[in-house]
Amino acid sequence: MSDSSDGVRPLCLVTGASGYIGGRLVPALLDAGHRVRALARTPRKLRDHPWADRVEVVAGDVRDAASVRDAMRDVDVAYYLVHALGSGPGFEERDREAARIFGERARAAGVGRIVYLGGLTPAGVPERALSPHLRSRAEVGRVLLGSGVPTAVLRAAVVIGSGSASFEILRHLTERLPVMVTPSWVRTSIQPIAVRDVIRYLVGCAGLPPEVNRTFDIGGPDVLTYRDMMRRYAEVAGLPHRLVLPVPVLTPGLSGLWIGLVTPVPPSIARPLAESLRHEVVCHEHDIARYVPDPPGGVIGFDQALRLALQRVKEARVDTRWSSASSPGAPSDPLPTDPDWSGGTLYRDEREMTVPVAPDALWRVIEGIGGENGWYSFPLAWAVRGRLDRIVGGVGLRRGRRDRQRLRVGDSLDFWRVEEIVPGELLRLRAEMRLPGPAWLELSVARDGRGRTVYRQRALFHPRGLLGHLYWWSVWPFHAVVFGGMARNIATAAARPLPCRSKP
């Protein structure tokens, strides 16, 4: 979209800016010369993004008409990048209502265009036969197209990029299982697309003519089966040939559990993705190229998309991950402020110790916690807790870290999420494992009156109901081992010298 008639750069509203696609779209829109306003339920999640000081962040929720109305003020293009991903009973109704509010508020505000990223649906398959996930995304597209605001609905199948859920599933299945007994959907034809092309199309849609109100299929140049994708991943990654044996007995539900067992993606997210692959999902037109022309070298092929993603992973330059957005059903309330807590019992496990190192050495260990570095505590206890969480449908321990050394607010960290970080001073994590109440873990650095470095650690739990109280007291005997050991081992790790690097 060119500058508006008064010479002011177009203003784009982005919902889902803390998610995988939204977090990459925002800087791309800025680079294209647009102004950006981000609507977020928890604005502080965007605080540490490198582009945060270049955007306007407003608090709100797509299901809250008043906050959407305020966010739409003076907006030229509104991006709708939120969906429930099959999160619990009634998610289709919630998606429908949110889309209706978004469309109505956009029309009332005089927004020039809505852009929505949906899912590619199979041709000739009745909508009632689609997975609930795909059916809901198709319905959201129809609601927005009927809003009275010119709308572009981009429909994509599997998105390949560093950190995407589809890429992580493909990567972990292929790397961990040289021989795979797989669901029959591995023989279904799919047209994957590189995340870079998805972002390019989304940015380009800001400039569509006002008469364009339709869906566009978007995909890469390759049509493959999932079995082909796994074999080609193995070739690109330099792995031995993988043997894939499809069987007809794995339902989408069992497929989700199977994926959750082998990959970091939990069943709550894996299941709707697996259900979406039951039918052929390939593009039936490439009309988007009339308005957003293909680059000189064409759209990115599957093998090249894999190479780009693997290079990003190798260099630890993954900008956003599938886990950037909160997991369905995860608690999201921030830690109540002490001592004004009045919401009932708040159990605490508090530890403090003096550490004979500089504060920055201690902070280096704290910020590097989790993922490959582990939790500096009884590994078996953490592994068992992570496995139990996966069994009951939680995220488990395998989400790891987005970056090996740096954290920012909103990052997922195994079965925690970074709720607050004050560099050099405080790291607060909120639990996203399945618990009968919200829980937090705080790690902090301070100096005492004698100038010594002090490590402080707090585990907090707000029980819900009798089950919550029973849970706390059932695990309390293990705290000395788990949390006491964590404090001692973090202090020990901080005292170790940094590994020497050879000079070039």
Side-chain angles (χ1 to χ4, degrees), residues 443-455:
L443 314 176
S444 62
V445 180
R447 285 188 183 274
D448 63 13
R450 299 168 58 184
R452 297 177 301 180
T453 301
V454 177
Y455 171 67

Side-chain angles (χ1 to χ4, degrees), residues 71-85:
M72 290 286 185
R73 195 167 291 128
D74 301 322
V75 165
D76 299 293
V77 182
Y79 286 89
Y80 192 78
L81 302 175
V82 295
H83 58 89
L85 198 62

Side-chain angles (χ1 to χ4, degrees), residues 9-47:
R9 292 177 298 141
L11 175 62
C12 298
L13 173 68
V14 177
T15 62
S18 63
Y20 178 71
I21 293 294
R24 298 185 181 215
L25 175 62
V26 168
L29 287 170
L30 292 170
D31 290 345
H34 300 296
R35 294 177 295 144
V36 176
R37 176 183 296 156
L39 176 68
R41 286 182 296 178
T42 311
R44 69 176 181 278
K45 280 188 178 182
L46 305 180
R47 186 191 68 194

Side-chain angles (χ1 to χ4, degrees), residues 369-382:
I369 201 167
E372 296 178 357
N373 293 326
W375 290 89
Y376 297 94
S377 183
F378 191 26
L380 179 60
W382 286 86

Side-chain angles (χ1 to χ4, degrees), residues 340-421:
D340 301 325
W341 170 245
S342 60
T345 304
L346 187 64
Y347 289 120
R348 298 172 174 85
D349 180 285
E350 298 181 290
R351 308 199 179 246
E352 179 177 309
M353 61 192 313
T354 302
V355 185
V357 298
D360 60 343
L362 179 57
W363 178 253
R364 170 177 51 82
V365 176
I366 290 174
E367 192 175 11
I369 201 167
E372 296 178 357
N373 293 326
W375 290 89
Y376 297 94
S377 183
F378 191 26
L380 179 60
W382 286 86
V384 169
R385 186 63 186 86
R387 181 55 60 93
L388 290 174
D389 194 54
R390 301 283 288 198
I391 290 173
V392 297
V395 296
L397 265 182
R398 290 189 302 216
R399 291 191 301 184
R401 299 171 53 106
R402 177 191 58 83
D403 185 284
R404 295 190 187 116
Q405 296 177 313
R406 298 287 177 260
L407 293 173
R408 64 192 184 200
V409 170
D411 272 359
S412 62
L413 185 59
D414 292 326
F415 49 38
W416 305 89
R417 187 170 298 276
V418 179
E419 182 175 276
E420 182 59 271
I421 184 168

